[in-house]
Amino acid sequence: MADTGTPFQVHGQVAFVTGAAGGVGRGIARVLTAAGAAPVSKDSVIEKIPVGRYCTADEVGYATLFLASRESGFITGQTLHVNGGTMMVG
C-alpha cells in the first residue's frame, strides 16, 4: 500500500499531506499547522471510516472512469462520494 501521508485534522475535517510534488507537502503542512490543524494518528482516522480502511487509488479511478463513461450518461448534478461511508456517519 502506498504511503497515505500524515493526517491533519482541523474543524472536524481530515487532510492527508504527503511529501509528493517536490516538497509541496511540507508547505501545506505548515499552512495547516498555522491554521490550527494538528497531526493525528492514522489509526484514529481509520476508526472513523465505516469500512475500516483507507480508499485506494484504484477505487477513486474506477469511480472517475464510471463518471466519464456512457453508463453514467443519465446522471446529472450529482456528487459521487468515494469515502467508505463517512458521509453516512457525519
Side-chain angles (χ1 to χ4, degrees):
M1 178 182 209
D3 181 25
T4 54
T6 302
F8 282 81
Q9 184 167 8
V10 64
H11 304 298
Q13 301 295 313
V14 175
F16 286 88
V17 179
T18 68
V24 171
R26 287 188 297 276
I28 292 171
R30 280 192 226 100
V31 169
L32 287 170
T33 302
V40 295
S41 76
K42 291 180 182 183
D43 289 339
S44 71
V45 174
I46 289 176
E47 287 175 357
K48 295 175 184 161
I49 302 171
V51 298
R53 63 178 177 80
Y54 292 124
C55 178
T56 67
D58 283 347
E59 289 167 323
V60 174
Y62 293 140
T64 304
L65 184 61
F66 168 70
L67 290 174
S69 72
R70 291 179 147 210
E71 286 80 5
S72 70
F74 206 69
I75 297 173
T76 61
Q78 300 299 311
T79 301
L80 180 61
H81 298 277
V82 182
N83 60 28
T86 56
M87 291 293 291
M88 297 184 318
V89 294

